């Protein structure tokens, strides 16, 4: 039995090709998963753009946000058995999920929410882990009192749509989200945002709310573009966390005088560096699954494409690159 996969074409890195590979055998900590659905994220298009620019010797399988069925387990694996339904965001250093089967380290895998189908489940792991780690491991908002404020820059996006209910459910802070359109603002309110402001004038909008400073800021888009505003808005001894790399130097002067902290959140850090607490990601996914099954968190699935093919993966990438999607596009197969 072989693995069918859609990979970046070394002869034309801007395009994808279909390839067949031998069925892999799980290593000590691995699960062999029959992939049922994969979500396409900005990380897919960024990696693809990098390959297109720098070239490629061998086909590269992208896709790191998936749901599927465990087919085999490695000798050192505990907590999983063949037949288990799982979800995970994967490991960017390994072969991805745009394939019928994939090896994945069991420590970064969770049991899929029982209430979600394959596509709806695949839409969540990467954004859920990013939101959870940013809020509770970088900003540590769970330790804050009810007098503290959290500003989520990009509340209606994939990460923001989860960060809002996570913050409301697991902390006491007042949640302020940014949105520019009324439908996006309502989207944020529906997920629990206490207030919604327009990101085009953060200082002015927050001033109308009686706020000069906010205690925590979670930047989910355009770090460069928002930096001047958040530097002014962050409270003395406050905390900023960003998930978006900067293209230009970030002036730290205002942070220095306020003793404010800047944190970075990159969901792949644990798997990339094989950190001692790598299994925490599996634990987070299990906690998120309970929130989903209890109705606290909804899937961010907005569109499902069907069938693993060059055409479906190409179309999913195109939709992500357009930048207009409020939810997630998933390929189910």
């Amino acid at each position: 039995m072989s693995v069918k996969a859609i990979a970046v074409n070394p002869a034309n890195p801007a395009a994808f090709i279909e390839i067949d590979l031998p069925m892999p055998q799980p290593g000590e900590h691995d699960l062999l998963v029959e992939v049922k659905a994969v979500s396409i994220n900005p990380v897919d298009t960024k990696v693809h753009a990098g390959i297109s620019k720098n070239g490629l010797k061998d086909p590269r399988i992208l896709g790191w946000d998936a749901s599927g069925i465990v087919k085999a387990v490695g000798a050192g694996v505990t907590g999983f058995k063949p037949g288990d339904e799982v979800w995970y965001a994967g490991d960017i250093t390994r072969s991805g999920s745009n394939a019928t089967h994939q090896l994945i380290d069991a420590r970064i895998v969770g049991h899929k929410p029982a209430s979600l189908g394959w596509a709806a489940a695949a839409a969540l792991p990467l954004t859920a882990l990013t939101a959870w780690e940013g809020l509770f491991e970088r900003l540590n908002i769970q330790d804050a009192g009810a007098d503290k404020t959290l500003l989520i820059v990009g509340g209606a996006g994939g990460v923001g749509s989860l960060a809002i209910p996570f913050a409301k459910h697991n902390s006491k802070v007042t949640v302020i989200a940014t949105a520019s359109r009324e439908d996006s603002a309502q989207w944020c309110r529906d997920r629990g945002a206490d207030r919604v402001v327009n990101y085009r004038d953060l200082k002015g909008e927050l001033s109308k709310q009686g706020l000069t400073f906010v205690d925590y800021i979670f930047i989910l888009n355009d770090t460069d573009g928002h930096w001047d505003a958040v530097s002014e808005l962050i409270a003395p001894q406050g905390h900023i966390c960003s998930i978006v790399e900067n293209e230009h130097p970030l002036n730290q002067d205002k942070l220095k005088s306020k003793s404010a902290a800047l944190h970075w959140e990159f969901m792949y850090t644990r798997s990339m560096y094989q950190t001692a607490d790598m299994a925490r990601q599996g634990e987070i996914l299990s906690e998120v699954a309970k929130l989903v099954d209890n109705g606290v968190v909804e899937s961010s699935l907005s569109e499902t494409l069907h069938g693993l093919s060059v055409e479906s993966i190409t179309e999913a990438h195109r939709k992500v690159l357009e930048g207009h999607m409020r939810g997630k596009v998933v390929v189910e197969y």
Side-chain angles (χ1 to χ4, degrees):
M1 187 176 177
S2 64
V3 175
K4 171 187 170 182
I6 306 302
V8 181
N9 184 357
N12 177 17
F16 295 99
I17 55 171
E18 182 178 318
I19 60 174
D20 285 295
L21 300 168
M23 183 66 65
Q25 297 302 307
E28 182 181 4
H29 296 291
D30 286 339
L31 303 177
L32 174 64
V33 175
E34 179 185 349
V35 181
K36 291 296 187 180
V38 61
S39 171
I40 308 304
N41 291 278
V43 66
D44 294 77
T45 59
K46 288 178 182 177
V47 172
H48 191 202
I51 293 171
S52 299
K53 179 180 178 181
N54 299 314
L56 189 68
K57 290 183 179 179
D58 301 303
R60 173 99 189 262
I61 303 170
L62 307 181
W64 294 282
D65 213 12
S67 60
I69 301 173
V70 176
K71 306 304 286 186
V73 302
V77 170
T78 59
F80 295 97
K81 64 184 184 305
D84 284 352
E85 298 184 352
V86 295
W87 65 340
Y88 51 90
D91 177 347
I92 203 168
T93 68
R94 300 183 73 175
S95 188
S97 309
N98 295 345
T100 56
H101 296 77
Q102 177 189 17
L103 292 179
I104 185 75
D105 192 304
R107 292 171 290 184
I108 57 173
V109 174
H111 291 276
K112 180 181 79 65
S115 59
L116 295 185
W118 298 117
L124 283 174
L126 189 151
T127 49
L129 285 166
T130 300
W132 192 282
E133 290 181 354
L135 292 173
F136 307 124
E137 299 186 348
R138 312 292 174 238
L139 295 175
N140 290 299
I141 66 166
Q142 69 276 14
D143 299 329
D147 60 328
K148 300 298 184 181
T149 49
L150 165 70
L151 174 65
I152 299 175
V153 180
V159 177
S161 296
L162 295 172
I164 293 170
F166 286 172
K168 290 301 295 179
H169 191 263
N170 289 342
S171 81
K172 299 174 182 176
V173 301
T174 296
V175 178
I176 307 164
T178 73
S180 59
R181 302 189 313 272
E182 180 49 38
D183 61 332
S184 297
Q186 190 58 49
W187 175 274
C188 294
R189 293 186 199 102
D190 290 345
R191 276 147 187 78
D194 297 299
R195 308 179 193 178
V196 181
V197 298
N198 193 314
Y199 68 84
R200 300 183 194 279
D201 179 20
L202 282 177
K203 287 177 62 180
E205 289 274 299
L206 288 168
S207 178
K208 293 175 188 175
Q209 304 275 345
L211 294 171
T212 303
F213 298 122
V214 287
D215 302 289
Y216 302 95
I217 300 178
F218 199 10
I219 304 175
L220 307 180
N221 60 47
D222 193 9
T223 299
D224 291 283
H226 294 300
W227 185 251
D228 286 346
V230 300
S231 297
E232 297 259 0
L233 288 167
I234 191 65
Q237 303 185 98
H239 293 261
I240 300 169
C241 178
S242 178
I243 69 169
V244 183
E245 63 273 24
N246 55 303
E247 296 183 9
H248 306 288
L250 301 177
N251 188 323
Q252 305 285 312
D253 290 352
K254 289 189 173 65
L255 270 62
K256 172 66 169 65
S257 66
K258 294 178 181 178
S259 297
L262 171 62
H263 308 263
W264 293 104
E265 163 56 23
F266 183 53
M267 193 229 77
Y268 292 111
T269 297
R270 281 175 158 134
S271 54
M272 180 179 285
Y273 293 97
Q274 296 281 299
T275 61
D277 65 348
M278 188 169 155
R280 179 61 188 141
Q281 288 201 331
E283 295 169 2
I284 293 170
L285 286 173
S286 294
E287 292 182 51
V288 174
K290 292 176 185 175
L291 293 178
V292 171
D293 286 338
N294 290 333
V296 175
V297 174
E298 300 176 7
S299 173
S300 47
L301 173 67
S302 63
E303 184 170 356
T304 305
L305 305 178
H306 296 278
L308 179 64
S309 66
V310 169
E311 291 75 21
S312 63
I313 296 298
T314 300
E315 176 67 3
H317 273 245
R318 184 188 67 78
K319 289 179 178 293
V320 171
L321 284 168
E322 281 181 349
H324 301 312
M325 294 198 64
R326 189 164 59 191
K328 300 288 289 295
V329 58
V330 172
V331 180
E332 185 173 18
Y333 41 94

